[in-house]
Amino acid sequence: MSNLDKEKKAHEKEVKIFETAEIITTHVYKVSPVQKEKLVRLAEERLEKAREEAIPKIRQRYEQRVKLQQERRQPQQPKNHGKSSPPQQSNNEDGR
């Protein structure tokens, strides 16, 4: 799909937005203090549960990332562990 086609589709989506002068209404329900407390407690429980599930996953991804970074760095280090390597000779005939 070319960029021109993508732009046309994006423009078509914009055209589908309608402006009206009507007032949009919705029902608002009153919540008793007991219900509010219960809802707050449920929200806190959900948040705590989400954290408990997320933290191990985050740790695992972090450990994988650190491991990959260490693996990438290892090949760059010299394999002779501190011994100096002989100077590399050039393949050119005149020694350059």
Side-chain angles (χ1 to χ4, degrees), residues 50-66:
R51 284 181 181 151
E52 288 174 0
E53 292 174 358
I55 289 173
K57 290 178 184 178
I58 293 169
R59 272 199 191 113
Q60 183 182 12
R61 286 192 311 234
Y62 175 77
E63 290 170 0
Q64 287 175 349
R65 190 174 204 177
V66 169

Side-chain angles (χ1 to χ4, degrees), residues 26-41:
T26 184
H27 296 285
V28 178
Y29 299 100
K30 291 187 178 183
V31 179
S32 70
V34 174
Q35 289 174 324
K36 184 177 179 181
E37 183 180 323
K38 184 178 178 181
L39 291 172
V40 168
R41 190 173 59 247

